[in-house]
Amino acid sequence: MDPAAAAGDPAPDCNVTPYTVTGSVDYQRLVVQFGTEPITPDLIVRLEKLSKLPLHHWLRRGLFYSHRSLNEICDAVETGKGFYLYTGRGASTGSLHLGHLIPLMFTKWLQDAFDVPLVVQLADDEKFFSKGITLEDARAMARENIKDIISVGFSPRNTFIFCDFDYIGTMYPNVARIQKLLTLNQIRSAFGFVGEDNIGKYAYPAIQAAPSFSTSFPHIFGTHTHLHCLIPCAIDQDPFFRLTRHIAPKLRAPKPAVIHSKFLPGLQSARGKMASSDPNDAIFISDSDRIIAKKIRAAVSGAPKTLDELREKGANLEEDVAFQYLCVFDHDDERLERIRQDYSAGRIGTGDVKNILISILTPIVTGLRERRAGADVDGFSAIRPLEFPGADILLASCRNN
Ligand code: TRP
C-alpha cells in the first residue's frame, strides 16, 4: 500500500459516503480511511464454529470483508448473552435491485445461523431530505420495498419491519438522547454536509442510529436490558455507525457491531456500485426473465473483441461484470473455479459465461418475485413480541421493574 493509502487518505479518484459513491472503489483503502477492521481468517474460523449453518460463501470469498467489533458478537454468542440484528433501507425506488439485496440476503443467513431477532428500518424520511422525492412517494415506495425485503425469506416469527414515519414515536426518546450527544461539527465532518444543506439531513443520522439500541424496541426487548446489536450493511453506511458507536457509552449501551460488504458492481462497470438511477446499470426484482437476460447480454465484458484475441490472451476477469456476478451468486466453488480457468485462458467466451449467469440468476429472481406476491406487509410491521431464545426473560425483566 502506498503511504497516502496507509495513512487513510481518501483515494483521489474515489469518493465513498452514504450519499455518493464515485470512481473505482479501493476497498482496502476504505478500511484504513474509515478506521474499520478487516475480517481475518481467524475471525472467519470463529464465526464458522459458532454458527448453526455452514459458512456463507460471501465470507469465504471476501464480499463481506470489514467489521467493527464482530469479536464481541462472538463473545455474546459464546456466553449465551445473545444479540440482535439491525439493517435498513432508505426508500428511493419502487423496486430493489440486486445490489440492495446483498446485505439483506446476508442478514437472512446471519439470522438463521444464530437464531436471533431482526429489526429492519425503512427510512422513508431519509431520501425525502436528501433527494428530490415527495413525502407521499417516499412512503409509498417504502411499502413496496417492504415486500421486496420479505421476499428474501424472513420469518414474521422473529422479524420486525418498521417505517420511520409510523414508528418514530416509540424511538423518539432514544432519538432525542442521541441528538443531544451529537454535534453539528461531527455530522458535518462525517457526511460532508455544508451550511446550505437542510436541517433534516443533519437530524436524520440520529434516526438511523436509534435502532442500534435495543431499548428502541420495548415490545421486543423490554426497556431495562441492553442487548448487543450487529448491523450488516454496505461499507458506505459506516459513517452512521461510527458516530453511533462514539456516543453509545454515554447512553450506557454496548457499541453496535457492524459487518460491511463491498458493493455489487453495476452492469456497465465491474468496479463501481450498481445505481438504481440508471435502469441499464441495474437488475431489479421486478424485471422479467426476458429483461434480465437482455441486460446481462449487454453487460460490460472483460473478453477481447475477436475470437483470435480471446484464444491468445484470454479474458480479463477483473473487468468482466458477468464473471464478477458469478463470484457472488454461484454457490458452487468447483464450477466457479472451472469457469475462472477456462475463461481466463480463452477456452470459453463471454457468451458462455453470460449464459451460465442467466441460468443461475433467473431462478433466484423468480423465487423472489413469487414470494413477493404473497408478502404480508402488515404482519411483519405489527407491534408485537418476537419469538427467539431468551425473549421471555427480557420481557419479564421489564414487567418486574
Ligand atoms: N441509509 C440507508 C440507505 O441509504 C438506509 C438504512 C437505514 C440502513 N438504517 C440502516 C442501512 C441500517 C443499513 C443499516 O439506504
Side-chain angles (χ1 to χ4, degrees), residues 10-26 30 33-34 236 263:
D13 61 339
C14 152
N15 182 28
V16 177
T17 77
Y19 296 107
T20 38
V21 175
T22 51
S24 158
V25 182
D26 182 338
L30 278 181
Q33 189 188 326
F34 286 168
D236 63 324
F263 304 120

Side-chain angles (χ1 to χ4, degrees), residues 98-296:
L98 292 181
H100 298 133
L101 288 172
I102 301 285
L104 290 164
M105 288 174 161
F106 191 68
T107 299
K108 163 78 178 141
W109 176 80
L110 284 169
Q111 186 179 37
D112 293 345
F114 296 98
D115 194 10
V116 288
L118 160 68
V119 298
V120 185
Q121 175 173 54
L122 264 292
D124 43 5
D125 46 354
E126 179 180 15
K127 304 294 154 78
F128 168 67
F129 294 132
S130 64
K131 289 191 173 184
I133 293 176
T134 66
L135 225 151
E136 293 71 20
D137 284 351
R139 298 195 72 173
M141 288 190 286
R143 207 176 157 85
E144 290 307 303
N145 290 177
I146 293 181
K147 296 181 193 163
D148 289 337
I149 292 167
I150 293 172
S151 77
V152 170
F154 297 108
S155 162
R157 185 179 66 80
N158 56 5
T159 306
F160 174 56
I161 306 182
F162 62 96
C163 292
D164 285 344
F165 280 114
D166 300 322
Y167 191 67
I168 194 72
T170 315
M171 290 199 297
Y172 196 54
N174 275 344
V175 170
R177 288 184 184 108
I178 296 162
Q179 286 178 337
K180 191 168 177 179
L181 290 168
L182 289 173
T183 67
L184 184 81
N185 288 343
Q186 284 170 322
I187 300 287
R188 271 201 175 151
S189 72
F191 297 96
F193 296 154
V194 295
E196 283 70 29
D197 280 303
N198 68 64
I199 64 169
K201 287 192 198 176
Y202 282 88
Y204 171 75
I207 297 172
Q208 184 159 329
S212 320
F213 302 109
S214 61
T215 51
S216 294
F217 305 96
H219 56 287
I220 307 173
F221 305 117
T223 44
H224 294 280
T225 323
H226 282 292
L227 191 63
H228 232 108
C229 175
L230 171 61
I231 307 168
C233 60
I235 185 78
D236 63 324
Q237 296 297 305
D238 186 70
F240 285 106
F241 303 118
R242 186 168 56 74
L243 291 180
T244 310
R245 287 168 55 86
H246 181 70
I247 53 116
K250 298 198 184 102
L251 296 175
R252 298 207 173 80
K255 292 182 176 184
V258 194
I259 181 162
H260 307 103
S261 73
K262 298 177 183 169
F263 304 120
L264 186 71
L267 292 159
Q268 289 167 8
S269 154
R271 291 179 181 275
K273 177 188 177 201
M274 188 175 270
S276 46
S277 49
D278 179 354
N280 292 321
D281 200 47
I283 294 175
F284 293 92
I285 298 185
S286 56
D287 286 343
S288 67
D289 294 358
R290 197 180 52 82
I291 300 278
I292 293 175
K294 199 170 142 203
K295 285 184 174 179
I296 290 174

